[in-house]
Structures are given as C-alpha cells and as structure tokens.
Amino acid sequence: QVQLVESGGGLVQPGGSLRLSCAASGSIRSVNIMGWYRQAPGKQRELVARIFNGGTTNLADSVKGRFTISRDNANNTVYLQMNSLKPEDTAVYYCNYQSGGWTYWGQGTQVTVSS
C-alpha cells in the first residue's frame, strides 16, 4: 500500500502562482511514476504532468510553459509549480503514484483561479 498526502491548493487570482506538494509513504518502489491529474466539474480526469523516478517528465499541452513538475526521491515527494494560472485551471488536483502495475491516488486538493 502507498499513501499520498497532498497540500498547497487554494484560491488564487488569474496570473498568480501556486505550488502543490504530494508526499508518498508506505511500500515505495525505486522505479515509479508520480504525477498530477485534475478534474474540473463536469469533465473527465486528465493528466496534468508526470515525472519518472529518473527525472523524465511529461506535461499536458495546456500547461506547458506555465507548470513545472519536480520530485525529491529521497523524500518520496513530488511538486507541481503552477505559474500564470488561468480560470480554466480550476479543478481538483489529484496526486498519482504508479509502480509495478499498481496505481494509487491522493484525496485531491482544490485549486480555484478566480478574481
């Protein structure tokens, strides 16, 4: 089992920044993928960004140039730095951990971009 604890969501004005953090604990494997998905009301959950344990990253086209994903392998923590936020970034953001065919989700953190 892997537990994921997210933090850092909140309300921000358009153009602002937020940093999300997700700490993983439990049966952590050295080879894994950690990432962030989001789900807006009435929409399907979508990949925002993910990072492999070796450092390779994938970002959704809609966030390229604005969001950065990074990780601290020593502390099993993944970060999502979100800059130049737009109202369409409003969603519940979920941390995701994948390894050995298993997938785990965090409880979600709300990000609201509004003036």
Side-chain angles (χ1 to χ4, degrees), residues 36-50:
W36 294 92
Y37 288 69
R38 67 186 180 188
Q39 188 166 18
K43 294 188 176 182
Q44 290 190 331
R45 192 173 297 189
E46 63 177 1
L47 173 68
V48 177
R50 64 179 183 175

Side-chain angles (χ1 to χ4, degrees), residues 50-72:
R50 64 179 183 175
I51 182 167
F52 292 74
N53 55 281
T56 300
T57 62
N58 299 128
L59 281 84
D61 287 343
S62 59
V63 307
K64 285 180 180 177
R66 301 188 297 121
F67 291 11
T68 303
I69 188 168
S70 61
R71 63 187 291 165
D72 177 353

Side-chain angles (χ1 to χ4, degrees), residues 1-103:
Q1 286 283 350
V2 172
Q3 295 77 42
L4 302 172
V5 179
E6 302 144 335
S7 60
L11 173 64
V12 64
Q13 292 187 342
S17 298
L18 282 175
R19 189 193 196 205
L20 304 183
S21 300
C22 173
S25 62
S27 301
I28 305 298
R29 297 182 178 215
S30 58
V31 178
N32 61 65
I33 307 169
M34 295 188 73
W36 294 92
Y37 288 69
R38 67 186 180 188
Q39 188 166 18
K43 294 188 176 182
Q44 290 190 331
R45 192 173 297 189
E46 63 177 1
L47 173 68
V48 177
R50 64 179 183 175
I51 182 167
F52 292 74
N53 55 281
T56 300
T57 62
N58 299 128
L59 281 84
D61 287 343
S62 59
V63 307
K64 285 180 180 177
R66 301 188 297 121
F67 291 11
T68 303
I69 188 168
S70 61
R71 63 187 291 165
D72 177 353
N73 288 334
N75 293 300
N76 299 314
T77 301
V78 64
Y79 304 96
L80 185 68
Q81 178 65 44
M82 304 184 292
N83 299 328
S84 302
L85 282 160
K86 304 176 181 180
E88 51 263 44
D89 294 316
T90 295
V92 178
Y93 284 69
Y94 295 92
C95 181
N96 174 271
Y97 172 97
Q98 298 179 44
S99 182
W102 296 90
T103 298

